Amino acid sequence: KRVAILISGGGSNMLALLRDMAAGDHPARAVLVASNDPAAAGLARAAAMGVAVAAVDHRPFGKDRAAFERALLEPLLAAAPDILCLAGFMRVLTPGFVDRFAGRMLNIHPSLLPKYPGLHTHQRALEAGDAEAGCTVHEVTPVLDDGTILGQARVPVLPGDTAESLAARVLQQEHRLYPAVLRRFAAGDRTPLFL
Ligand code: GRF
């Protein structure tokens, strides 16, 4: 299976996916890493691993999301991915874009969905006094951070945790969960994985 990955920043999740796919005996290989930010550090990390990269700056398109997505679709469709992974991708995608990849588009979200869709998930978990937090890999649908859950990993919330310390603990689990879910998904197995 051909996998394209969309990033917006450092791409630590993207790197975890690339490393796992490079380990061989994997049903998928990365065909493109694309970003909405030409300065995304993840682009250089992907290129250093020999993966094709593309950057489409969303800023010139202003509020015209569809125009940005048309530009993004050019390198994306040229790579002919079977699966599209969002990994720290911070742009909301229109239903028109999502529908093109219906049933074969994944995202990792730093909360135990359905709790805390959207932003500032760790701060919200702390403010709620949750004993646990974590991350979710889900199929992307037109509704933000909704869609079938394909995997979750949990971490304890510890006394004295800040949003940063909790985020770091969750991120470590993201790097375990996302590669494990992609392996299954690329092999046609949609059984949810709970780490
Ligand atoms: C992190 O907050 C992570 O929890 C979320 O996206 C952000 C950046 O991730 N998935 P990455 O390092 O760019 O993969």
Side-chain angles (χ1 to χ4, degrees):
K1 288 280 192 290
R2 300 168 60 88
V3 171
I5 305 172
L6 296 188
I7 64 170
S8 293
S12 71
N13 275 289
M14 168 219 52
L15 210 56
L17 294 175
L18 293 185
R19 285 177 176 147
D20 194 48
M21 281 188 272
D25 79 317
H26 195 299
R29 66 185 181 88
V31 294
L32 181 71
V33 169
S35 178
N36 62 294
D37 179 352
L43 290 171
R45 299 168 96 177
M49 291 185 70
V51 179
V53 296
V56 178
D57 192 340
H58 68 274
R59 289 166 300 189
F61 298 95
K63 288 197 293 292
D64 190 345
R65 287 186 190 282
F68 161 65
E69 291 174 354
R70 277 194 298 279
L72 179 62
L73 276 170
E74 271 186 46
L76 200 49
L77 296 180
D82 300 301
I83 299 169
L84 182 54
C85 290
L86 306 183
F89 187 67
M90 302 306 277
R91 305 298 298 169
V92 171
L93 294 163
T94 66
F97 183 97
V98 173
D99 287 345
R100 282 176 170 265
F101 297 96
R104 54 199 184 98
M105 186 162 156
L106 309 182
N107 181 46
I108 186 151
H109 179 75
S111 80
L112 294 171
L113 292 173
K115 293 179 85 168
Y116 315 129
L119 298 174
H120 313 302
T121 60
H122 306 302
Q123 192 55 44
R124 291 155 69 189
L126 290 172
E127 284 164 5
D130 292 353
E132 273 192 331
C135 50
T136 303
V137 176
H138 62 96
E139 287 193 35
V140 175
T141 65
V143 177
L144 187 70
D145 297 333
D146 195 50
T148 308
I149 288 178
L150 294 171
Q152 287 194 319
R154 312 174 93 82
V155 300
V157 175
L158 301 175
D161 258 336
T162 61
E164 291 70 30
S165 61
L166 184 52
R169 192 173 309 123
V170 171
L171 195 59
Q172 282 185 310
Q173 294 306 312
E174 293 180 37
H175 298 162
R176 293 179 61 226
L177 180 69
Y178 212 172
V181 169
L182 178 58
R183 269 182 185 264
R184 281 179 177 221
F185 191 83
D189 177 357
R190 297 187 181 204
T191 317
L193 174 64
F194 295 97
L195 295 184

